[in-house]
Amino acid sequence: MRIALGVEYDGGDFCGWQMQDGVRTVQGCVERALSKVADHEVRVICAGRTDTGVHGLGQVIHFDTEAERSMRSWVLGGNANLPRDISLLWAATVDEEFHARFSARSRRYRYVILNRWVRPGLQRGRVSWVHAPLDVESMRAATQYLIGEHDFSSYRALACQAKSPVRQVYSLKVDRAGEYVYLDVHANAFLHHMVRNIAGVLIAIGKGERSPEWAREVLELRDRTQGGMTAPPDGLYFIHVEYPERFMLPEQVRLPQF
């Protein structure tokens, strides 16, 4: 039996999603919890690996098991064995053709910026902080150059292991609500640090350090060393994965709002 699960987590105290020896990871905690429920070793596949400090609201995973449990038991049993900063949201049976990563049609991220002159207290680690005033209209003008299918070499980490730097960005939106600026990115897939590097370029433009056209210039260089800063992981949320309707998985998009 193949089981799909929805997962949310606060990434602040994890060294990212992927299992690593000697450090605390989301995958490691989830696999240990599900292994206790299944009464056998469980290995999970996720829709998208997140970095240290990045949060997940709409992560999707799958695993195979011969254990017979109700979907409610997978969720409640898993949560009973998970730390407080991870929660399983739902469970569903899927056919063997389902793959959390390769069956995904698209993914969505939200980057949250607290834009005020004093640093955050209660929201430390949950938002990125920019003290200089941001011009949202300039940031919006820059987004037009990044929408569509492009070679995003300048917007990926130097250590990115993806075979191709080409990605399709369906939408890139910038909105302000009081002291908060929200960057919403929807794409078929993402490169390592791609969202954080896009955020870094847009922040520089919003601060007036660069013109909106700089987003296009960086893209055309196809050279990460010529790009902008990598924005911090604080404030980055993996919010949604889209799958074909035939898998009948929950499609709710949950947005972090402050």
Side-chain angles (χ1 to χ4, degrees):
M1 182 182 298
R2 179 159 291 183
I3 305 293
L5 287 158
V7 190
E8 70 174 21
Y9 48 90
D10 179 341
D13 196 37
F14 292 100
C15 292
W17 168 271
Q18 190 172 11
M19 178 84 76
Q20 304 172 59
D21 292 334
V23 296
R24 188 171 186 255
T25 67
V26 183
Q27 181 182 5
C29 291
V30 169
E31 289 185 347
R32 284 191 293 273
L34 292 175
S35 295
K36 291 180 180 179
V37 179
D39 199 28
H40 67 74
E41 188 175 34
V42 168
R43 289 288 175 262
V44 303
I45 303 294
C46 72
R49 293 177 292 183
T50 51
D51 293 332
T52 299
V54 177
H55 312 297
L57 290 182
Q59 180 70 270
V60 176
I61 64 175
H62 83 259
F63 67 95
D64 294 325
T65 181
E66 294 181 358
E68 295 185 3
R69 308 283 188 270
S70 69
M71 296 303 103
R72 180 180 175 86
S73 295
W74 285 117
V75 173
L76 296 183
N79 284 340
N81 291 287
L82 281 168
R84 294 177 64 184
D85 42 6
I86 307 176
S87 181
L88 304 179
L89 303 176
W90 52 264
T93 56
V94 288
D95 61 47
E96 292 184 357
E97 293 183 3
F98 176 82
H99 192 284
R101 179 183 176 190
F102 298 125
S103 297
R105 285 179 168 173
S106 68
R107 298 160 176 84
R108 296 175 187 264
Y109 279 86
R110 166 167 277 197
Y111 194 78
V112 183
I113 302 168
L114 175 62
N115 187 210
R116 71 184 188 194
W117 67 282
V118 290
R119 62 179 174 83
L122 291 176
Q123 294 157 356
R124 178 179 57 87
R126 305 289 180 85
V127 297
S128 181
W129 173 49
V130 177
H131 63 83
L134 292 175
D135 181 349
V136 169
E137 292 305 319
S138 293
M139 296 169 74
R140 284 178 180 154
T143 62
Q144 63 180 307
Y145 303 114
L146 302 179
I147 296 172
E149 186 175 79
H150 301 288
D151 180 330
F152 282 94
S153 293
S154 294
Y155 287 89
R156 69 169 175 171
L158 290 173
C160 181
Q161 298 178 351
K163 293 181 180 179
S164 171
V166 177
R167 293 293 185 269
Q168 177 87 27
V169 173
Y170 301 124
S171 66
L172 174 54
K173 299 179 181 179
V174 182
D175 293 294
R176 178 184 284 279
E179 297 178 330
Y180 298 93
V181 176
Y182 298 98
L183 312 182
D184 290 297
V185 192
H186 180 203
N188 62 340
F190 290 88
L191 301 162
H192 191 199
H193 286 178
M194 180 173 161
V195 178
R196 290 169 60 189
N197 289 333
I198 289 174
V201 166
L202 294 181
I203 289 170
I205 291 169
K207 291 164 68 175
E209 298 173 352
R210 300 279 188 165
S211 69
E213 290 74 22
W214 187 55
R216 181 192 61 206
E217 294 167 6
V218 170
L219 185 71
E220 292 175 347
L221 287 170
R222 299 183 181 180
D223 181 356
R224 175 61 202 140
T225 64
Q226 301 298 312
M229 73 167 188
T230 300
D234 301 349
L236 181 57
Y237 295 80
F238 182 27
I239 60 173
H240 184 251
V241 190
E242 178 191 12
Y243 292 102
E245 292 183 1
R246 66 185 182 85
F247 293 122
M248 294 186 293
L249 297 181
E251 284 291 327
Q252 181 181 8
V253 180
R254 300 168 59 235
L255 297 174
Q257 293 181 316
F258 299 92

Short mmCIF file of all heavy atoms in Angstrom, two decimals, residues 17-45:
data_model
loop_
_atom_site.label_atom_id
_atom_site.label_comp_id
_atom_site.label_asym_id
_atom_site.label_seq_id
_atom_site.Cartn_x
_atom_site.Cartn_y
_atom_site.Cartn_z
N TRP A 17 15.12 19.64 5.41
CA TRP A 17 14.28 18.45 5.31
C TRP A 17 15.10 17.18 5.28
O TRP A 17 14.81 16.23 6.01
CB TRP A 17 13.41 18.50 4.05
CG TRP A 17 12.76 17.18 3.76
CD1 TRP A 17 13.26 16.14 3.02
CD2 TRP A 17 11.53 16.70 4.32
NE1 TRP A 17 12.41 15.07 3.07
CE2 TRP A 17 11.34 15.39 3.86
CE3 TRP A 17 10.57 17.28 5.15
CZ2 TRP A 17 10.22 14.64 4.20
CZ3 TRP A 17 9.45 16.52 5.49
CH2 TRP A 17 9.29 15.21 5.02
N GLN A 18 16.11 17.11 4.45
CA GLN A 18 16.77 15.85 4.09
C GLN A 18 17.55 15.25 5.25
O GLN A 18 18.25 15.95 5.99
CB GLN A 18 17.70 16.07 2.90
CG GLN A 18 18.26 14.79 2.32
CD GLN A 18 19.02 15.05 1.03
OE1 GLN A 18 19.29 16.19 0.68
NE2 GLN A 18 19.35 14.00 0.32
N MET A 19 17.43 13.94 5.38
CA MET A 19 18.14 13.18 6.39
C MET A 19 19.65 13.41 6.30
O MET A 19 20.24 13.33 5.22
CB MET A 19 17.85 11.68 6.22
CG MET A 19 18.56 10.79 7.20
SD MET A 19 17.69 10.66 8.76
CE MET A 19 16.36 9.54 8.29
N GLN A 20 20.28 13.70 7.45
CA GLN A 20 21.72 13.86 7.54
C GLN A 20 22.17 13.27 8.87
O GLN A 20 21.48 13.37 9.87
CB GLN A 20 22.12 15.33 7.48
CG GLN A 20 21.65 16.07 6.25
CD GLN A 20 21.91 17.57 6.36
OE1 GLN A 20 23.05 18.00 6.52
NE2 GLN A 20 20.84 18.36 6.31
N ASP A 21 23.35 12.69 8.87
CA ASP A 21 23.86 12.08 10.09
C ASP A 21 24.24 13.14 11.11
O ASP A 21 24.88 14.14 10.79
CB ASP A 21 25.10 11.22 9.79
CG ASP A 21 24.77 9.98 8.96
OD1 ASP A 21 23.62 9.53 9.04
OD2 ASP A 21 25.66 9.49 8.24
N GLY A 22 23.83 12.91 12.35
CA GLY A 22 24.28 13.74 13.45
C GLY A 22 23.57 15.06 13.62
O GLY A 22 23.94 15.84 14.51
N VAL A 23 22.56 15.36 12.79
CA VAL A 23 21.83 16.61 12.93
C VAL A 23 20.33 16.32 12.89
O VAL A 23 19.88 15.28 12.41
CB VAL A 23 22.20 17.64 11.84
CG1 VAL A 23 23.66 18.04 11.96
CG2 VAL A 23 21.89 17.10 10.45
N ARG A 24 19.56 17.28 13.37
CA ARG A 24 18.10 17.14 13.43
C ARG A 24 17.49 17.58 12.11
O ARG A 24 17.70 18.71 11.67
CB ARG A 24 17.55 17.99 14.58
CG ARG A 24 16.08 17.80 14.89
CD ARG A 24 15.74 18.53 16.18
NE ARG A 24 14.36 18.29 16.61
CZ ARG A 24 13.37 19.17 16.49
NH1 ARG A 24 13.60 20.38 15.96
NH2 ARG A 24 12.16 18.88 16.92
N THR A 25 16.75 16.69 11.45
CA THR A 25 16.10 17.00 10.19
C THR A 25 14.62 16.62 10.26
O THR A 25 14.22 15.76 11.05
CB THR A 25 16.74 16.25 9.01
OG1 THR A 25 16.50 14.83 9.15
CG2 THR A 25 18.24 16.51 8.94
N VAL A 26 13.82 17.25 9.40
CA VAL A 26 12.39 16.94 9.37
C VAL A 26 12.17 15.50 8.91
O VAL A 26 11.39 14.75 9.51
CB VAL A 26 11.65 17.92 8.45
CG1 VAL A 26 10.14 17.63 8.47
CG2 VAL A 26 11.90 19.37 8.85
N GLN A 27 12.87 15.10 7.87
CA GLN A 27 12.71 13.75 7.35
C GLN A 27 13.03 12.71 8.42
O GLN A 27 12.30 11.72 8.57
CB GLN A 27 13.63 13.53 6.14
CG GLN A 27 13.49 12.14 5.53
CD GLN A 27 14.45 11.91 4.36
OE1 GLN A 27 15.28 12.75 4.06
NE2 GLN A 27 14.32 10.76 3.72
N GLY A 28 14.11 12.92 9.15
CA GLY A 28 14.48 11.96 10.18
C GLY A 28 13.41 11.80 11.23
O GLY A 28 13.06 10.68 11.64
N CYS A 29 12.83 12.92 11.68
CA CYS A 29 11.77 12.86 12.69
C CYS A 29 10.51 12.18 12.15
O CYS A 29 9.88 11.37 12.84
CB CYS A 29 11.43 14.27 13.18
SG CYS A 29 12.72 15.06 14.16
N VAL A 30 10.14 12.49 10.92
CA VAL A 30 8.94 11.91 10.32
C VAL A 30 9.12 10.41 10.13
O VAL A 30 8.20 9.62 10.43
CB VAL A 30 8.61 12.61 8.99
CG1 VAL A 30 7.52 11.85 8.23
CG2 VAL A 30 8.16 14.05 9.22
N GLU A 31 10.26 9.99 9.65
CA GLU A 31 10.47 8.56 9.42
C GLU A 31 10.47 7.76 10.72
O GLU A 31 9.91 6.66 10.78
CB GLU A 31 11.78 8.35 8.66
CG GLU A 31 11.70 8.80 7.21
CD GLU A 31 12.94 8.50 6.40
OE1 GLU A 31 13.99 8.17 7.01
OE2 GLU A 31 12.87 8.59 5.18
N ARG A 32 11.06 8.31 11.77
CA ARG A 32 11.04 7.61 13.06
C ARG A 32 9.62 7.49 13.60
O ARG A 32 9.23 6.43 14.12
CB ARG A 32 11.94 8.34 14.06
CG ARG A 32 13.43 8.12 13.83
CD ARG A 32 14.26 8.63 14.99
NE ARG A 32 14.20 10.08 15.11
CZ ARG A 32 15.01 10.90 14.47
NH1 ARG A 32 15.93 10.43 13.64
NH2 ARG A 32 14.92 12.22 14.64
N ALA A 33 8.83 8.54 13.46
CA ALA A 33 7.47 8.51 13.96
C ALA A 33 6.61 7.51 13.20
O ALA A 33 5.87 6.71 13.80
CB ALA A 33 6.85 9.91 13.87
N LEU A 34 6.68 7.54 11.87
CA LEU A 34 5.87 6.62 11.07
C LEU A 34 6.33 5.18 11.23
O LEU A 34 5.51 4.25 11.15
CB LEU A 34 5.91 7.04 9.59
CG LEU A 34 5.22 8.36 9.27
CD1 LEU A 34 5.43 8.74 7.80
CD2 LEU A 34 3.72 8.29 9.57
N SER A 35 7.61 4.97 11.45
CA SER A 35 8.11 3.62 11.67
C SER A 35 7.50 3.00 12.92
O SER A 35 7.23 1.79 12.97
CB SER A 35 9.64 3.63 11.78
OG SER A 35 10.23 4.02 10.56
N LYS A 36 7.27 3.82 13.93
CA LYS A 36 6.64 3.31 15.16
C LYS A 36 5.19 2.93 14.90
O LYS A 36 4.70 1.92 15.42
CB LYS A 36 6.74 4.37 16.26
CG LYS A 36 8.16 4.60 16.77
CD LYS A 36 8.19 5.65 17.86
CE LYS A 36 9.60 5.88 18.36
NZ LYS A 36 9.67 6.93 19.42
N VAL A 37 4.50 3.72 14.11
CA VAL A 37 3.10 3.41 13.80
C VAL A 37 3.00 2.16 12.93
O VAL A 37 2.14 1.31 13.14
CB VAL A 37 2.42 4.60 13.10
CG1 VAL A 37 0.97 4.28 12.76
CG2 VAL A 37 2.49 5.86 13.97
N ALA A 38 3.90 2.05 11.95
CA ALA A 38 3.86 0.92 11.02
C ALA A 38 4.44 -0.36 11.63
O ALA A 38 4.17 -1.47 11.15
CB ALA A 38 4.65 1.27 9.76
N ASP A 39 5.25 -0.21 12.68
CA ASP A 39 5.97 -1.33 13.30
C ASP A 39 6.97 -1.96 12.32
O ASP A 39 7.23 -3.16 12.35
CB ASP A 39 4.99 -2.40 13.82
CG ASP A 39 5.65 -3.33 14.83
OD1 ASP A 39 6.60 -2.88 15.51
OD2 ASP A 39 5.23 -4.50 14.95
N HIS A 40 7.47 -1.12 11.41
CA HIS A 40 8.57 -1.52 10.54
C HIS A 40 9.26 -0.24 10.06
O HIS A 40 8.70 0.86 10.19
CB HIS A 40 8.09 -2.36 9.35
CG HIS A 40 7.24 -1.64 8.36
ND1 HIS A 40 7.71 -0.71 7.45
CD2 HIS A 40 5.89 -1.69 8.13
CE1 HIS A 40 6.73 -0.24 6.72
NE2 HIS A 40 5.60 -0.82 7.11
N GLU A 41 10.44 -0.36 9.49
CA GLU A 41 11.17 0.81 9.05
C GLU A 41 10.47 1.47 7.87
O GLU A 41 10.09 0.81 6.91
CB GLU A 41 12.60 0.43 8.65
CG GLU A 41 13.49 1.62 8.37
CD GLU A 41 14.94 1.21 8.10
OE1 GLU A 41 15.15 0.13 7.50
OE2 GLU A 41 15.84 1.97 8.47
N VAL A 42 10.29 2.78 7.95
CA VAL A 42 9.61 3.55 6.91
C VAL A 42 10.59 4.55 6.31
O VAL A 42 11.32 5.22 7.03
CB VAL A 42 8.38 4.29 7.48
CG1 VAL A 42 7.86 5.32 6.48
CG2 VAL A 42 7.28 3.31 7.84
N ARG A 43 10.58 4.63 4.98
CA ARG A 43 11.35 5.64 4.28
C ARG A 43 10.39 6.48 3.46
O ARG A 43 9.55 5.93 2.73
CB ARG A 43 12.40 4.99 3.37
CG ARG A 43 13.54 4.36 4.14
CD ARG A 43 14.43 5.43 4.75
NE ARG A 43 15.49 4.89 5.59
CZ ARG A 43 15.43 4.80 6.90
NH1 ARG A 43 14.33 5.22 7.54
NH2 ARG A 43 16.43 4.32 7.60
N VAL A 44 10.49 7.80 3.55
CA VAL A 44 9.54 8.68 2.88
C VAL A 44 10.21 9.46 1.76
O VAL A 44 11.41 9.75 1.80
CB VAL A 44 8.89 9.66 3.88
CG1 VAL A 44 8.20 8.91 5.01
CG2 VAL A 44 9.90 10.65 4.44
N ILE A 45 9.41 9.80 0.75
CA ILE A 45 9.81 10.67 -0.36
C ILE A 45 9.00 11.95 -0.26
O ILE A 45 7.78 11.90 -0.04
CB ILE A 45 9.54 10.00 -1.72
CG1 ILE A 45 10.25 8.65 -1.82
CG2 ILE A 45 9.95 10.93 -2.87
CD1 ILE A 45 11.76 8.73 -1.83
#
